[in-house]
PDB file of all heavy atoms in Angstrom:
ATOM      1  N   VAL A   9     -57.040 -27.515 -38.496  1.00  0.00           N
ATOM      2  CA  VAL A   9     -57.192 -26.159 -37.987  1.00  0.00           C
ATOM      3  C   VAL A   9     -57.106 -25.188 -39.160  1.00  0.00           C
ATOM      4  O   VAL A   9     -56.156 -25.226 -39.954  1.00  0.00           O
ATOM      5  CB  VAL A   9     -56.089 -25.799 -36.971  1.00  0.00           C
ATOM      6  CG1 VAL A   9     -56.321 -24.400 -36.402  1.00  0.00           C
ATOM      7  CG2 VAL A   9     -56.056 -26.827 -35.842  1.00  0.00           C
ATOM      8  N   LEU A  10     -58.094 -24.319 -39.297  1.00  0.00           N
ATOM      9  CA  LEU A  10     -58.076 -23.316 -40.333  1.00  0.00           C
ATOM     10  C   LEU A  10     -56.974 -22.304 -40.061  1.00  0.00           C
ATOM     11  O   LEU A  10     -56.598 -22.059 -38.902  1.00  0.00           O
ATOM     12  CB  LEU A  10     -59.431 -22.599 -40.407  1.00  0.00           C
ATOM     13  CG  LEU A  10     -60.635 -23.478 -40.781  1.00  0.00           C
ATOM     14  CD1 LEU A  10     -61.918 -22.657 -40.695  1.00  0.00           C
ATOM     15  CD2 LEU A  10     -60.468 -24.071 -42.167  1.00  0.00           C
ATOM     16  N   SER A  11     -56.456 -21.686 -41.128  1.00  0.00           N
ATOM     17  CA  SER A  11     -55.305 -20.779 -40.983  1.00  0.00           C
ATOM     18  C   SER A  11     -55.586 -19.638 -40.010  1.00  0.00           C
ATOM     19  O   SER A  11     -54.719 -19.261 -39.226  1.00  0.00           O
ATOM     20  CB  SER A  11     -54.902 -20.226 -42.349  1.00  0.00           C
ATOM     21  OG  SER A  11     -55.984 -19.527 -42.949  1.00  0.00           O
ATOM     22  N   GLU A  12     -56.829 -19.119 -40.055  1.00  0.00           N
ATOM     23  CA  GLU A  12     -57.150 -17.991 -39.177  1.00  0.00           C
ATOM     24  C   GLU A  12     -57.320 -18.407 -37.724  1.00  0.00           C
ATOM     25  O   GLU A  12     -57.403 -17.554 -36.826  1.00  0.00           O
ATOM     26  CB  GLU A  12     -58.413 -17.282 -39.670  1.00  0.00           C
ATOM     27  CG  GLU A  12     -59.662 -18.134 -39.698  1.00  0.00           C
ATOM     28  CD  GLU A  12     -59.879 -18.805 -41.048  1.00  0.00           C
ATOM     29  OE1 GLU A  12     -58.895 -18.989 -41.794  1.00  0.00           O
ATOM     30  OE2 GLU A  12     -61.042 -19.153 -41.346  1.00  0.00           O
ATOM     31  N   GLU A  13     -57.327 -19.716 -37.463  1.00  0.00           N
ATOM     32  CA  GLU A  13     -57.504 -20.210 -36.098  1.00  0.00           C
ATOM     33  C   GLU A  13     -56.186 -20.723 -35.497  1.00  0.00           C
ATOM     34  O   GLU A  13     -56.161 -21.135 -34.333  1.00  0.00           O
ATOM     35  CB  GLU A  13     -58.540 -21.331 -36.086  1.00  0.00           C
ATOM     36  CG  GLU A  13     -59.940 -20.882 -36.498  1.00  0.00           C
ATOM     37  CD  GLU A  13     -60.919 -22.028 -36.561  1.00  0.00           C
ATOM     38  OE1 GLU A  13     -60.472 -23.208 -36.480  1.00  0.00           O
ATOM     39  OE2 GLU A  13     -62.115 -21.762 -36.680  1.00  0.00           O
ATOM     40  N   ILE A  14     -55.113 -20.718 -36.286  1.00  0.00           N
ATOM     41  CA  ILE A  14     -53.860 -21.322 -35.830  1.00  0.00           C
ATOM     42  C   ILE A  14     -53.320 -20.615 -34.593  1.00  0.00           C
ATOM     43  O   ILE A  14     -52.908 -21.266 -33.624  1.00  0.00           O
ATOM     44  CB  ILE A  14     -52.817 -21.336 -36.963  1.00  0.00           C
ATOM     45  CG1 ILE A  14     -53.232 -22.338 -38.032  1.00  0.00           C
ATOM     46  CG2 ILE A  14     -51.433 -21.677 -36.410  1.00  0.00           C
ATOM     47  CD1 ILE A  14     -52.322 -22.363 -39.241  1.00  0.00           C
ATOM     48  N   GLU A  15     -53.317 -19.277 -34.605  1.00  0.00           N
ATOM     49  CA  GLU A  15     -52.783 -18.556 -33.443  1.00  0.00           C
ATOM     50  C   GLU A  15     -53.608 -18.855 -32.202  1.00  0.00           C
ATOM     51  O   GLU A  15     -53.061 -19.107 -31.129  1.00  0.00           O
ATOM     52  CB  GLU A  15     -52.740 -17.051 -33.709  1.00  0.00           C
ATOM     53  CG  GLU A  15     -52.184 -16.266 -32.535  1.00  0.00           C
ATOM     54  CD  GLU A  15     -52.009 -14.786 -32.819  1.00  0.00           C
ATOM     55  OE1 GLU A  15     -51.150 -14.465 -33.663  1.00  0.00           O
ATOM     56  OE2 GLU A  15     -52.727 -13.967 -32.197  1.00  0.00           O
ATOM     57  N   LYS A  16     -54.949 -18.826 -32.343  1.00  0.00           N
ATOM     58  CA  LYS A  16     -55.806 -19.116 -31.202  1.00  0.00           C
ATOM     59  C   LYS A  16     -55.528 -20.506 -30.646  1.00  0.00           C
ATOM     60  O   LYS A  16     -55.405 -20.696 -29.431  1.00  0.00           O
ATOM     61  CB  LYS A  16     -57.277 -19.007 -31.615  1.00  0.00           C
ATOM     62  CG  LYS A  16     -58.248 -19.328 -30.503  1.00  0.00           C
ATOM     63  CD  LYS A  16     -59.692 -19.274 -30.987  1.00  0.00           C
ATOM     64  CE  LYS A  16     -60.659 -19.693 -29.884  1.00  0.00           C
ATOM     65  NZ  LYS A  16     -62.063 -19.695 -30.353  1.00  0.00           N
ATOM     66  N   ARG A  17     -55.397 -21.477 -31.547  1.00  0.00           N
ATOM     67  CA  ARG A  17     -55.134 -22.856 -31.106  1.00  0.00           C
ATOM     68  C   ARG A  17     -53.754 -22.957 -30.471  1.00  0.00           C
ATOM     69  O   ARG A  17     -53.566 -23.690 -29.471  1.00  0.00           O
ATOM     70  CB  ARG A  17     -55.248 -23.821 -32.292  1.00  0.00           C
ATOM     71  CG  ARG A  17     -54.977 -25.273 -31.925  1.00  0.00           C
ATOM     72  CD  ARG A  17     -55.955 -25.796 -30.900  1.00  0.00           C
ATOM     73  NE  ARG A  17     -55.583 -27.147 -30.463  1.00  0.00           N
ATOM     74  CZ  ARG A  17     -55.554 -27.536 -29.203  1.00  0.00           C
ATOM     75  NH1 ARG A  17     -55.877 -26.685 -28.217  1.00  0.00           N
ATOM     76  NH2 ARG A  17     -55.213 -28.768 -28.894  1.00  0.00           N
TER      77      ARG A  17
END
Side-chain angles (χ1 to χ4, degrees):
V9 183
L10 298 175
S11 59
E12 61 268 23
E13 296 176 350
I14 290 176
E15 180 174 293
K16 179 183 176 182
R17 179 61 186 134

